[in-house]
């Protein structure tokens, strides 16, 4: 049995992804894509947050986004949702998005360069104006 090294595994994962760049994020969010920050809490505290992004740490990602999972989030309604996974630099997110695609979430992808690319592009708050985020904020305001 042959084994991949991590570089081979990453390349294989990215073959099936239509990765997006930070400058494409506003258009993706406008069409309904959901940005998911998978960085651990310690990393978010150190680097900063992505207002409007859905925070799901990597260790529970598949359970929360699989529409057939008993542990899914209410937002995970079907396999056609567009999920954009973001980590710090765009490596772990590629592996995570490929894993989601294996679950049938065919539109799952990741962000080239991750959080660092969003920060460098000056787009840290772009997800806070996404239609789904505004809807969630309005819902919470009524509680």
């Amino acid at each position: 049995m042959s084994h991949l090294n991590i570089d081979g595994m990453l390349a294989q994962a990215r073959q099936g992804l239509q990765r997006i760049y930070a400058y494409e994020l506003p258009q993706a969010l406008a069409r309904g894509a959901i940005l998911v920050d998978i960085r651990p809490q310690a990393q978010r505290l150190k680097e900063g947050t992505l207002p409007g992004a859905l925070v799901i740490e990597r260790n529970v990602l598949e359970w929360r986004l699989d529409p057939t999972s008993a542990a899914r989030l209410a937002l995970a309604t079907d396999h056609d949702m567009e999920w954009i996974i973001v980590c710090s630099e765009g490596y772990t997110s590629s592996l995570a998005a490929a894993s989601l695609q294996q679950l049938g979430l065919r539109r799952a992808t990741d962000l080239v360069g991750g959080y660092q690319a969003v920060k460098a592009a000056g787009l840290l708050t772009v997800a806070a104006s996404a239609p789904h985020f505004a809807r969630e904020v309005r819902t919470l305001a009524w509680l």
Side-chain angles (χ1 to χ4, degrees):
M1 180 170 142
S2 67
H3 297 276
L4 291 174
N5 63 20
I6 190 59
D7 293 328
M9 181 182 264
L10 186 61
Q12 188 176 62
R14 287 178 173 167
Q15 284 178 354
L17 301 176
Q18 291 186 345
R19 303 179 78 212
I20 70 163
Y21 290 87
Y23 70 87
E24 297 173 297
L25 193 54
Q27 295 85 3
L29 295 170
R31 70 175 173 255
I34 299 175
L35 187 64
V36 180
D37 188 346
I38 63 169
R39 295 174 298 151
Q41 181 179 10
Q43 196 168 33
R44 292 190 313 272
L45 287 172
K46 180 181 176 187
E47 295 177 347
T49 62
L50 277 170
L54 182 61
V55 175
I56 306 174
E57 291 197 13
R58 176 66 190 98
N59 63 322
V60 295
L61 182 68
E62 290 84 354
W63 284 270
R64 300 298 184 255
L65 298 187
D66 179 357
T68 67
S69 170
R72 76 172 177 84
L73 296 176
L75 242 109
T77 57
D78 63 59
H79 287 89
D80 289 324
M81 292 191 68
E82 184 177 5
W83 302 103
I84 301 170
I85 311 303
V86 63
C87 64
S88 182
E89 296 180 353
Y91 295 96
T92 302
S93 58
S94 293
L95 299 173
S99 177
L100 292 173
Q101 284 195 355
Q102 288 178 335
L103 289 174
L105 300 169
R106 63 178 183 79
R107 296 179 68 203
T109 191
D110 78 320
L111 191 70
V112 176
Y115 173 86
Q116 301 304 326
V118 175
K119 183 177 179 181
L123 295 171
L124 286 178
T125 60
V126 70
S129 62
H132 70 274
F133 182 72
R135 183 177 59 247
E136 294 299 319
V137 169
R138 283 192 306 273
T139 300
L140 290 173
W142 287 100
L143 297 179

